[in-house]
Structures are given as C-alpha cells and as structure tokens.
Amino acid sequence: NERRGNFIPTLSGVSAYSSGIQEQFQHRVEEHMIDGLYRYIHVDLTFTVQTDYPYLVIDLGTQVSIKEVSAQAQDGNYANQYFAMLSFQLGNERQTGDFSSYKKIGFFKGPALSDEVFSIVLNPAVSARYVAIQRMETATPLQLAHINIYV
C-alpha cells in the first residue's frame, strides 16, 4: 500500500515483550504479534495478558520512521471486553510499564467490534524503535489479534 509504506513483519532484530503471560494464556504469546500473518482459526493465535495496565511492546531493533500503526481485535464475542481503553505510544528507550517518556500517538476508547481494526496514520512519520500498546485499566485483559507497523 503506497500510502502506508512498507509493512514490518518478522524481520531480523524485531522482537516483542509484555507485562507477562499468565499460565491460562500460555499459548497466546507475544510472537504471534510479529509473525506477519493473521488468520483467525483459534483464539490461541492471539496475544493475551491480564494484569493491571497490561501492555505489549514491539521492539523494531533500531529506530525507523513509522508511518502507521494498526491493531486488530479478535473475531468473536470478547472483542468488546478485551480491546478497549488502549493507549498507543512510540519511544526510543526500552521501558516496562511506565511509558511516560514515549510519544503518545493515539487512544482507542472502544469497546471494539468483532474483528475491528484501529489505525493511526502518522503524518509526518515519527522516528522510533519501540511501539507500545497499553490497556489503561486495572485487572483487565488485553487481547490483540494482530498488529501492523508501516515504515
């Protein structure tokens, strides 16, 4: 897509980390968000974490000019419960939970519809290494079906 630029799937140096995966969600790991693919076969292909202010961070390995970030809710009945109150932020230093030094680029209040995609187009592009998505609520799950980052 010319407007968005080039999509970043799993590339050398790209990784992900989060506020932690609980035992009941052990198959819903961070790596699902950077595999470059999304096909809803089972909820275990999503990423899920439940804690106070849960987050997922994509580490692009180096600073790049980001043109767009999009996130997709799961297909099904729980999208409206698990995909809401999401803060999207970009930064250049590794952080774990406190993203106050990051640039806030968008907020999705929700609740999401099944399979809904929320996109943030950045014009001009923003240079960053880390893309953080954090649910701004306590004791609630964060569930992401897919993330796209365009440079």
Side-chain angles (χ1 to χ4, degrees):
N1 185 321
E2 200 62 39
R3 174 183 68 87
R4 295 180 177 178
N6 298 311
F7 169 63
I8 300 236
T10 302
L11 300 173
S12 177
V14 176
S15 61
Y17 64 93
S18 71
S19 47
I21 305 290
Q22 290 74 25
E23 186 175 341
Q24 70 267 34
F25 302 130
Q26 63 185 329
H27 301 296
R28 303 178 193 175
V29 296
E30 296 97 335
E31 288 77 15
H32 290 166
M33 296 298 99
I34 59 171
D35 63 8
L37 305 171
Y38 174 60
R39 57 196 188 288
Y40 183 81
I41 298 169
H42 191 273
V43 74
D44 281 345
L45 294 178
T46 66
F47 161 76
T48 307
V49 61
Q50 180 172 349
T51 186
D52 289 349
Y53 306 105
Y55 64 86
L56 173 79
V57 178
I58 305 296
D59 178 355
L60 300 171
T62 188
Q63 284 188 24
V64 295
S65 290
I66 298 173
K67 295 180 179 178
E68 183 174 350
V69 175
S70 67
Q72 185 172 0
Q74 74 169 46
D75 179 16
N77 297 333
Y78 292 104
N80 64 343
Q81 296 174 38
Y82 297 163
F83 194 96
M85 303 301 288
L86 302 180
S87 180
F88 291 76
Q89 299 147 119
L90 302 177
N92 289 307
E93 301 292 327
R94 182 181 172 96
Q95 300 293 335
T96 55
D98 177 5
F99 300 105
S100 58
S101 67
Y102 282 23
K103 177 181 179 66
K104 186 174 179 180
I105 59 167
F107 188 82
F108 179 79
K109 183 176 180 182
L113 301 173
S114 174
D115 229 12
E116 183 170 352
V117 176
F118 176 71
S119 294
I120 302 159
V121 176
L122 302 167
N123 189 9
V126 176
S127 180
R129 174 176 173 170
Y130 297 94
V131 178
I133 301 172
Q134 184 171 33
R135 185 155 185 185
M136 304 309 294
E137 295 182 295
T138 59
T140 56
L142 164 62
Q143 186 169 81
L144 302 167
H146 194 63
I147 297 172
N148 285 338
I149 299 167
Y150 296 93
V151 297

